[in-house]
Amino acid sequence: MTDDSPPPTSDSSASSAPMPEGSPDQESSPRDMVDRARIDASCRGPVLFFFLTAAAWLLIGSALALLASIKMHSPEFLSDTEWLTFGRVRPAHLNTVIYGWSSLAGMGVLFWLQARLSRAELRFQKLLYAVGILWNLAIAGGTVVLLTGRYLSIEWLEFPVWTAALLGLGFVAVMVTSLDTFRRRTHHHVYVSQWYLFGAVFWFPILYVLAHAMIHLGGATGVAQATANWWFAHNVLGIWFTPIGLAAAYYFIPKVIGRPIHSYYLSLLGFWTLALFYNWAGTHHLIGGPLPVWLTTVGTVASMMMFIPVITVAINHHMTMIGHFQKLKFSPTLRFIVFGAMSYTVVSFQGSLMSLRIVNETSHFTHYTVAHAHLGMYAFFTMVLFGSIYYIAPRLTGREWASARLIKIHFWSVAVGMIMYFTGLSWGGWRQGEQMNHDTMPFLDIVAELMPYFWSRSVAGILMTVGHIAFAILLWKMWRGEGQKRLRARKLEQQQEGPTLLARPEEDS
Amino acid sequence: MNRSISLLAGVLFTVAASFVGLVLIPDWQFVPLEPVQLDDGTTRPVPPEGSVAEGRLVYNELGCIYCHTQQIRPDNFGTDQQRGWGTRQTEPLDHIYDEPPLLGTMRSGPDLANIGARQPSRSWHHLHMFNPVITSPGSNMPPHRFLYEAIPRGDGERPDEALNFPEEFDDPHHWWVPTDRAEALVDYLLSLDHTYPTGRGQ
């Protein structure tokens, strides 16, 4: 039953622990440690490059988000500069955080996880550098085009076709590299995280290419473009970001607390039901729209079926965590990832309910949906990325994080900021929906009622941005090698200290 | 599950099936749609041409869809029609010429599916675009003054197309004249009228 068991070891115990899929053995032989060091070394350059540039896009995306948020309550703010008008910074925010931050950081996590789990070195480093540079240039170019206005308003697909072509081309190399690592795996057993990563590297390019063919290259007619749009946009979250996020959660939670995942069979069920149902859920974005009813009903049914994979994953993660929650005190990785994993359950339940017509009638077209989207992309996925990077980066550089205080600032400002963002906009957005469905309430009165919630979003956004700056500083210092050198694994196990931990277990227990 | 071939087959099958079901099949369903013939011999919808098509691009590049929908929900679902935003539910037929359809997903501002019929005044649209609070006090729509050209008043005569502001918004030093983009955008907005009957039941 533990043939799926990942790696017991604690966050602290260094480049630590073995990765014995197949053996619950906690002891890591010297050979294991040499193997891991070799694998980490093979990832070092490209993965750090992806993380660093992703963090830069996170900062740019945050600035664009703040601009858009402020403009919602103070429309005169920077209003005479056309390229900073709301309709420009809003899509620029989405595309920089999706293709810049989330995808670049997600790919970094994907390379490292696949290499560690396959127990095979990452190859083609130069190619990956080239891909990283290509993606960054393409996103930069695409963002300039967006801000200067030469784009079509197709949500999640605003980048011009040439940008998309470059991103797609770069991704082919990502796919080849990741599959190359997977193919050279030295263990017969394939861990659940590897299925998700395997799926993600196929799913993203298929989605991206087909969506462009149907929309930008004229493959679909009229509102079929809208269904293609939401088939794509929903699936980017569902079968690109979610698999990476779940792969990381399935890896790090057992790894950090040092016990195998609760159930192999549940993870199997969770993976295949996700693959089967998430794909069909996207049309719930078009409920009430100009489409045959069967089409949106399919979306609703698939969304309800999503309860299966979500509950499965929730049980599996919770049962693994149970009895170990006190470890959240010590491990930044665990803290971010558990926050993310819990948000995954919440956002998925909420999303399924929002696909019901009775809920959708109120929530559709309102800021409630915006809050929901951030619960998915931020509270779940971005938090999991943060947690993963806190684990991976020290193992790439051989150094600890430069400051435990900055990690705490990062965690608390984004956690509080996100909770504030979500509660404010959900409450305000739901009221907006109810008032819109009262035909006697004048539209401008609804706008006036929303103002306090728009302000709360800006305050929450500032908090989250503060966290991002702390994170970027930490990553910068990590790259510059300013943290303490990591002690040799054996030694560290005894010492249990270093800023990577938020507190010393000895003191508190 | 250790066979990568079955993993690969499952991964490809799941996404391909949804693509066929959610994208290709609806597309086949919409391809044969034809415009409706009205009693006066004209047909609807009309493909956007000339300045309307240009205005549609301006609508795109200003990101209007991030706050405005162009879709009326059925009359038992929400109160779109009671608000006077439309007289019938939007149908696939209404968008057969739209590349891409600008349905939108957010109503920070009102729906615009029939704005041409609801607000046919050209000067209203220009004033609203120049600074929304002129026509709609309390609006949080961003002003689009960059779509207008400021001409110093000096001794020159007032240009015919200069905006006619209410007193409290008047600029004593400049005449404000719509650029071609502003005119095209208003042409497009005025063209938005889906009140024609489609011959289908609700």
Side-chain angles (χ1 to χ4, degrees):
Chain A
M1 103 88 205
T2 52
D3 56 347
D4 53 304
S5 68
T9 178
S10 97
D11 196 28
S12 49
S13 65
S15 16
S16 41
M19 283 288 320
E21 277 74 36
S23 112
D25 177 11
Q26 302 219 4
E27 283 304 305
S28 119
S29 75
R31 226 198 113 199
D32 284 335
M33 289 194 288
V34 171
D35 276 354
R36 276 194 307 276
R38 218 183 48 236
I39 291 166
D40 288 347
S42 73
C43 292
R44 180 176 303 142
V47 171
L48 270 182
F49 181 78
F50 275 71
F51 286 168
L52 278 163
T53 54
W57 285 112
L58 179 66
L59 294 180
I60 295 169
S62 308
L64 292 164
L66 278 179
L67 266 179
S69 178
I70 291 168
K71 281 162 179 283
M72 268 280 166
H73 50 72
S74 308
E76 284 285 347
F77 183 67
L78 296 179
S79 63
D80 286 328
T81 313
E82 178 169 352
W83 61 278
L84 290 178
T85 196
F86 180 83
R88 300 281 172 76
V89 293
R90 153 74 169 78
H93 158 64
L94 185 136
N95 283 277
T96 47
V97 296
I98 292 302
Y99 299 103
W101 158 247
S102 304
S103 291
L104 284 173
M107 285 188 268
V109 171
L110 182 147
F111 295 142
W112 185 86
L113 274 183
Q114 191 62 278
R116 273 288 194 105
L117 284 165
S118 302
R119 293 187 149 198
E121 287 163 67
L122 185 67
R123 298 201 294 187
F124 311 119
Q125 280 90 348
K126 285 193 184 127
L127 180 67
L128 288 179
Y129 271 119
V131 169
I133 292 167
L134 181 72
W135 265 64
N136 276 285
L137 289 179
I139 295 164
T143 306
V144 169
V145 168
L146 258 177
L147 289 172
T148 50
R150 296 185 298 278
Y151 73 97
L152 286 178
S153 299
I154 304 162
E155 289 185 70
W156 295 68
L157 290 166
E158 288 95 342
F159 275 156
V161 175
W162 63 263
T163 303
L166 292 180
L167 295 182
L169 192 69
F171 199 88
V172 174
V174 170
M175 183 160 101
V176 169
T177 316
S178 175
L179 292 177
D180 169 70
T181 317
F182 181 68
R183 196 183 51 80
R184 288 180 294 110
R185 65 191 181 279
T186 53
H187 255 261
H188 181 61
H189 179 76
V190 181
Y191 183 58
V192 52
S193 296
Q194 286 170 291
W195 315 337
Y196 281 108
L197 298 174
F198 183 90
V201 295
F202 281 103
W203 282 325
F204 179 76
I206 292 174
L207 291 175
Y208 204 52
V209 169
L210 287 179
H212 278 89
M214 298 312 280
I215 300 176
H216 284 284
L217 307 179
T221 316
V223 287
Q225 293 193 1
T227 65
N229 189 177
W230 288 106
W231 170 78
F232 170 79
H234 196 77
N235 278 356
V236 171
L237 177 65
I239 60 177
W240 167 232
F241 294 128
T242 299
I244 296 178
L246 291 183
Y250 264 118
Y251 179 86
F252 288 112
I253 292 176
K255 181 90 177 166
V256 174
I257 66 178
R259 71 195 284 200
I261 199 77
H262 172 69
S263 159
Y264 170 78
Y265 296 101
L266 280 182
S267 40
L268 193 66
L269 178 71
F271 175 78
W272 284 113
T273 47
L274 178 121
L276 199 53
F277 299 131
Y278 221 136
N279 268 300
W280 291 85
T283 49
H284 65 214
H285 288 267
L286 295 160
I287 292 173
L291 295 165
V293 175
W294 70 263
L295 198 54
T296 48
T297 307
V298 167
T300 305
V301 172
S303 305
M304 298 315 286
M305 297 303 280
M306 278 301 294
F307 275 118
I308 301 173
V310 171
I311 291 175
T312 310
V313 169
I315 292 176
N316 223 354
H317 286 171
H318 185 79
M319 294 303 284
T320 310
M321 266 308 283
I322 213 158
H324 293 264
F325 283 97
Q326 78 282 1
K327 290 209 167 99
L328 292 176
K329 257 192 220 158
F330 315 122
S331 162
T333 293
L334 201 59
R335 210 186 263 192
F336 279 98
I337 288 195
V338 168
F339 189 106
M342 287 176 159
S343 303
Y344 174 69
T345 310
V346 177
V347 74
S348 305
F349 272 56
Q350 187 194 21
S352 294
L353 295 176
M354 283 167 74
S355 77
L356 294 174
R357 287 177 67 87
I358 190 167
V359 179
N360 192 275
E361 185 176 9
T362 302
S363 69
H364 200 23
F365 302 135
T366 72
H367 290 271
Y368 187 85
T369 311
V370 181
H372 170 70
H374 284 78
L375 192 63
M377 275 313 298
Y378 197 97
F380 161 46
F381 189 63
T382 292
M383 292 302 258
V384 168
L385 286 180
F386 287 145
S388 307
I389 293 173
Y390 277 123
Y391 189 92
I392 297 170
R395 282 153 181 83
L396 300 180
T397 61
R399 290 189 179 264
E400 294 291 352
W401 291 100
S403 157
R405 172 170 298 176
L406 276 178
I407 300 180
K408 283 186 203 162
I409 291 175
H410 177 204
F411 179 78
W412 286 110
S413 48
V414 298
V416 172
M418 184 60 227
I419 290 166
M420 181 175 175
Y421 186 110
F422 181 74
T423 42
L425 268 201
S426 297
W427 186 262
W430 189 261
R431 279 167 55 97
Q432 177 195 8
E434 285 185 329
Q435 291 166 348
M436 208 126 61
N437 288 346
H438 273 286
D439 53 2
T440 49
M441 178 131 180
F443 197 88
L444 286 169
D445 291 358
I446 303 174
V447 173
E449 297 253 346
L450 272 169
M451 283 302 155
Y453 305 103
F454 289 157
W455 278 98
S456 83
R457 167 165 58 190
S458 290
V459 174
I462 290 169
L463 270 175
M464 289 150 84
T465 307
V466 167
H468 300 161
I469 293 170
F471 172 68
I473 293 172
L474 280 166
L475 205 54
W476 177 258
K477 284 174 179 282
M478 176 63 79
W479 181 64
R480 302 264 303 160
E482 289 182 24
Q484 279 178 8
K485 274 227 162 95
R486 290 176 65 77
L487 303 169
R488 284 182 182 282
R490 293 280 176 194
K491 251 185 169 175
L492 198 72
E493 259 168 40
Q494 295 147 15
Q495 296 217 348
Q496 293 280 357
E497 64 185 334
T500 302
L501 296 182
L502 297 170
R504 294 186 190 191
E506 298 90 344
E507 288 173 6
D508 295 80
S509 56
Chain B
M1 188 178 56
N2 294 318
R3 274 174 309 210
S4 25
I5 289 298
S6 42
L7 187 57
L8 178 63
V11 159
L12 296 182
F13 169 77
T14 47
V15 70
S18 74
F19 178 70
V20 172
L22 295 187
V23 183
L24 290 187
I25 291 177
D27 191 46
W28 297 333
Q29 209 175 341
F30 302 142
V31 167
L33 290 175
E34 297 280 347
V36 284
Q37 192 93 28
L38 300 187
D39 292 343
D40 63 4
T42 57
T43 57
R44 295 287 190 282
V46 184
E49 279 170 3
S51 68
V52 171
E54 283 167 32
R56 195 168 193 283
L57 281 178
V58 178
Y59 188 94
N60 260 287
E61 67 181 32
L62 291 176
C64 305
I65 69 150
Y66 300 105
C67 294
H68 295 282
T69 55
Q70 290 188 29
Q71 50 172 316
I72 304 301
R73 292 191 283 180
D75 60 4
N76 56 356
F77 195 63
T79 55
D80 300 8
Q81 298 179 39
Q82 288 88 329
R83 282 187 171 273
W85 288 347
T87 49
R88 61 170 174 81
Q89 178 186 2
T90 304
E91 296 180 19
L93 173 78
D94 294 317
H95 292 285
I96 50 177
Y97 297 123
D98 286 348
E99 303 272 340
L102 300 169
L103 300 179
T105 51
M106 168 53 81
R107 286 176 176 168
S108 290
D111 184 86
L112 300 179
N114 295 296
I115 189 64
R118 286 164 49 210
Q119 183 45 274
S121 158
R122 226 188 150 73
S123 56
W124 185 94
H125 280 292
H126 276 308
L127 286 177
H128 180 250
M129 207 56 71
F130 183 85
N131 187 1
V133 295
I134 298 177
T135 55
S136 316
S139 169
N140 64 339
M141 173 169 145
H144 290 71
R145 284 184 287 266
F146 50 79
L147 292 177
Y148 297 81
E149 196 186 338
I151 298 173
R153 287 205 179 180
D155 304 323
E157 278 184 32
R158 177 180 192 281
D160 290 343
E161 27 346 323
L163 301 189
N164 229 337
F165 296 107
E167 211 173 319
E168 66 269 34
F169 290 100
D170 202 29
D171 176 352
H173 307 296
H174 298 93
W175 305 113
W176 285 90
V177 179
T179 59
D180 291 347
R181 292 168 73 210
E183 297 286 14
L185 178 58
V186 172
D187 282 338
Y188 171 65
L189 291 174
L190 292 177
S191 81
L192 289 175
D193 178 352
H194 297 100
T195 54
Y196 49 84
T198 57
R200 286 175 189 71
Q202 283 281 319

